[in-house]
Amino acid sequence: MATLAFNFEEIAPRELKPDLLELDGISRAAVEAHYKLYQGYVNKRNEILGRLAEVDLGSANQVYSEIRALKVDLTFAIGGIKNHEIYFEHLGGDGAGPDGLIAHLITRDFGSVDDWRADLKATGMAARGWAWTAYDWDEGRLFNHIGDAQNTFPVWNATPLVALDVYEHAYFLDYQTDRASYIDAFFNNLDWSVVDDWAMRYQIPR
Ligand SMILES: [Fe+2]
């Protein structure tokens, strides 16, 4: 039987850093429930790839609608993994900063850290799912992008460095509909040393 041509391995969720259970203004219960959602995206990604590997290309035209459904759902699952791995990894700090390369990039491309923060907060208020600060390798600059879901609307050849989750699941337990206060809490818990490490690891040019 002919099948899709790819190999894959199952992946496991990354462990939640203990610091994430002691955030300032984002409760342990909210983080634990949120982490379960992330685990769900990992499981979904593994399940979908397993099902795709079983697709029989010889089984008439309906195979394409099956491939379509699986591959679209795969983008949602993978987005859910990548977005949340950034989100969880760069929380757990005290919001002090930024310093180093990331401070230089933000100041260069937004004017000041305060201007960057205001821009990202506004983008997060306008979004349905995510706001990301990403470095665009073609334009050679940072920009705050908007996302409505795990798989909308990332752009090609851009590297996300900050991922602000504004899905209701991120804040409803602690803030009900007060998203603005949750976003302030997000900034207060950012670990800028993590973000700066990423900027250096990816060798983002000054
Ligand atoms: Fe989330």
Side-chain angles (χ1 to χ4, degrees):
M1 132 181 143
T3 56
L4 296 173
F6 70 95
N7 297 316
F8 84 99
E9 292 181 5
E10 297 206 340
I11 58 171
R14 290 188 190 168
E15 285 185 21
L16 192 62
K17 294 188 298 182
D19 288 352
L20 270 281
L21 299 176
E22 296 174 11
L23 297 180
D24 177 17
I26 302 175
S27 68
R28 180 182 186 132
V31 170
E32 285 178 336
H34 204 165
Y35 180 71
K36 284 204 178 76
L37 290 176
Y38 157 68
Q39 291 175 304
Y41 294 124
V42 173
N43 293 338
K44 199 73 190 166
R45 175 256 186 212
N46 292 338
E47 178 201 320
I48 291 170
L49 286 174
R51 288 175 61 190
L52 274 169
E54 301 281 299
V55 166
D56 179 0
L57 292 179
S59 64
N61 273 352
Q62 69 190 40
V63 73
Y64 300 125
S65 58
E66 184 184 357
I67 291 171
R68 176 184 165 78
L70 289 169
K71 288 211 167 187
V72 170
D73 286 352
L74 182 64
T75 66
F76 194 86
I78 291 175
I81 296 167
K82 292 178 188 263
N83 290 328
H84 287 97
E85 288 183 349
I86 298 168
Y87 179 80
F88 289 128
E89 190 67 29
H90 70 10
L91 288 179
D94 61 6
D99 296 308
L101 174 58
I102 189 63
H104 166 77
L105 297 172
I106 285 176
T107 305
R108 183 193 68 190
D109 294 338
F110 291 91
S112 71
V113 174
D114 284 347
D115 288 333
W116 163 82
R117 190 184 291 113
D119 186 298
L120 187 64
K121 184 172 181 178
T123 306
M125 293 300 292
R128 293 180 183 160
W130 290 92
W132 302 281
T133 301
Y135 179 77
D136 187 314
W137 290 90
D138 300 310
E139 297 205 6
R141 57 158 295 166
L142 298 175
F143 188 78
N144 289 332
H145 288 278
I146 195 166
D148 275 358
Q150 309 299 347
N151 54 355
T152 61
F153 314 94
V155 296
W156 293 121
N157 208 21
T159 300
L161 295 166
V162 176
L164 166 58
D165 192 340
V166 293
Y167 267 87
E168 265 191 6
H169 66 234
Y171 62 89
F172 197 81
L173 204 58
D174 295 327
Y175 293 97
Q176 289 76 54
T177 58
D178 184 7
R179 185 191 291 189
S181 292
Y182 155 75
I183 292 176
D184 290 338
F186 170 86
F187 288 127
N188 290 338
N189 288 284
L190 260 186
D191 187 341
W192 278 108
S193 67
V194 171
V195 181
D196 194 45
D197 282 350
W198 288 333
M200 288 190 292
R201 190 197 309 164
Y202 296 132
Q203 299 187 323
I204 293 176
R206 283 181 166 266

